[in-house]
Amino acid sequence: MPLLARGNIQSALHPRGSDADRIADLGIVMFIGGGAIFLTVIAFALLALFGPERVRRMLRQHAFIVGGGIVFPVAALSVLLVYALLTSAALMRAGNPPALRIDVTGEMWWWRVVYVDDAGRRIMETANEIRIAAGRPVEMRLTTADVIHSFWVPNLAGKTDMIPGHVNRQRLVAHAPGVFRGECAEYCGAQHAKMAFEVVALEPAAFDAWLASQARPAPSPVDALALRGRQAFFTHDCGKCHTIRGTEATGTAGPDLTHVGSRLSLAAGILPNSIGAFGGWIAASQHIKPGNEMPSFDRLSAEDLRALAAYMESLQ
Ligand code: CUA
């Protein structure tokens, strides 16, 4: 898998999708155009102040002022405006019908992700991680459960706001397999900065296998520790807020945990996925992300906490 360097997995300057290509080109043209005009204006200003008398006389002429002050800016800005409008029109154009639809809902402060087939049937729900097949266009339908968020995967496409009572669409295509980071790009409260996610583009066959495995119910724990963890999960009513498909946990307030152990990160892209991080998050979620809806379960015994974390990690 040709992976981007760690620093470039969230970068509009390293486009890896069709929309991001167009946006990067637009940005470069605007930057070069703006830079050239800036340097020209500064050069004329310096000449007007310190240049030879002959040049200064020319710069004072009426025709030069009208030409450089009105005609040139109008012409240059019109060309850039037309180019920018054509680019935005190309971004809006639908292209091929998408192979897959993914409904993403912004929540304070995480992402609910629902895969929907072409007949509009729900395939499965997950959270904070979006996997797609490289080369296949995906239709993202973006909305919010609370305040305005903004969905942004800089390597693949531009920002799209998630607005209450409204569904915005975005077409995502990744040219090749890779892992990209997305962020909420609209201030949405105290933990706005801790509202991230991963987009993983897979080879189409690997994606199909992944989607099929995610649609299955959770695996039953096999070892004693994870079994004890499952017991703790229900003793502490975790299922009131979380769903684990295949069990009696059907809460929908928080992320679906059916395959949480298979995700790249925890708590909306802010913790690595490990038993230690699960334990830390469950015991101290209000310390790690103050104000989020999950209370810190700091009264669990150390053994229950370790068991619960092991159960979460077993949900592959
Ligand atoms: Cu959600 Cu900022």
Side-chain angles (χ1 to χ4, degrees):
M1 202 187 270
L3 290 179
L4 285 164
R6 181 84 200 136
N8 297 336
I9 61 167
Q10 187 181 334
S11 166
L13 299 177
H14 295 83
R16 293 292 184 274
S18 323
D19 277 12
D21 288 342
R22 291 196 183 93
I23 293 168
D25 289 347
L26 177 68
I28 287 166
V29 167
M30 291 284 182
F31 180 76
I32 292 174
I37 292 169
F38 174 76
L39 291 177
T40 312
V41 169
I42 295 299
F44 278 133
L46 291 175
L47 281 173
L49 288 171
F50 309 113
E53 178 52 32
R54 187 174 49 83
V55 176
R56 293 202 306 215
R57 208 176 313 121
M58 187 197 78
L59 291 177
R60 280 198 299 271
Q61 276 173 14
H62 189 70
F64 184 82
I65 300 200
V66 171
I70 298 173
V71 177
F72 175 74
V74 167
L77 291 177
S78 301
V79 169
L80 288 178
L81 177 70
V82 168
Y83 174 54
L85 290 177
L86 289 176
T87 300
S88 355
L91 293 176
M92 312 270 262
R93 251 195 305 279
N96 300 326
L100 187 71
R101 191 180 115 197
I102 305 177
D103 293 342
V104 182
T105 306
E107 312 253 355
M108 289 162 87
W109 294 277
W110 57 282
W111 311 84
R112 187 187 298 276
V113 179
V114 177
Y115 284 68
V116 180
D117 69 12
D118 46 13
R121 279 184 304 257
R122 181 188 173 98
I123 302 172
M124 61 95 179
E125 177 171 332
T126 179
N128 302 327
E129 183 174 299
I130 296 167
R131 299 204 180 196
I132 58 177
R136 282 191 203 156
V138 180
E139 183 177 64
M140 313 297 299
R141 294 212 193 164
L142 307 168
T143 189
T144 171
D146 36 55
V147 299
I148 299 175
H149 304 270
S150 180
F151 181 88
W152 191 31
V153 193
N155 296 94
L156 298 182
K159 297 171 188 168
T160 303
D161 277 1
M162 306 169 108
I163 295 165
H166 181 79
V167 176
N168 273 330
R169 292 167 196 220
Q170 187 186 83
R171 205 51 80 96
L172 271 194
V173 190
H175 295 319
V179 179
F180 312 105
R181 194 167 182 275
E183 266 275 2
C184 180
E186 177 80 32
Y187 181 72
C188 55
Q191 301 302 331
H192 157 69
K194 291 184 178 169
M195 187 169 169
F197 60 103
E198 273 101 19
V199 173
V200 183
L202 299 167
E203 296 288 357
F207 170 77
D208 293 340
W210 173 84
L211 187 59
S213 80
Q214 293 280 313
R216 284 196 277 274
S220 293
V222 281
D223 64 284
L225 190 63
L227 274 167
R228 177 177 172 164
R230 183 169 69 175
Q231 208 167 13
F233 185 87
F234 289 102
T235 311
H236 295 282
D237 279 339
C238 305
K240 291 261 160 62
C241 292
H242 295 284
T243 290
I244 298 180
R245 278 174 273 131
T247 74
E248 53 274 40
T250 53
T252 55
D256 184 305
L257 300 177
T258 308
H259 297 288
V260 69
S262 71
R263 292 179 202 150
L264 293 181
S265 62
L266 303 181
I270 61 167
L271 295 173
N273 186 339
S274 66
I275 291 199
F278 268 119
W281 173 252
I282 295 165
S285 70
Q286 287 303 320
H287 177 74
I288 296 169
K289 209 161 161 178
N292 92 85
E293 294 219 15
M294 175 152 147
S296 293
F297 285 82
D298 47 10
R299 265 167 290 178
L300 289 181
S301 69
E303 296 75 43
D304 270 356
L305 191 60
R306 202 143 30 85
L308 196 47
Y311 175 47
M312 293 291 106
E313 194 67 22
S314 80
L315 296 173
Q316 293 290 324

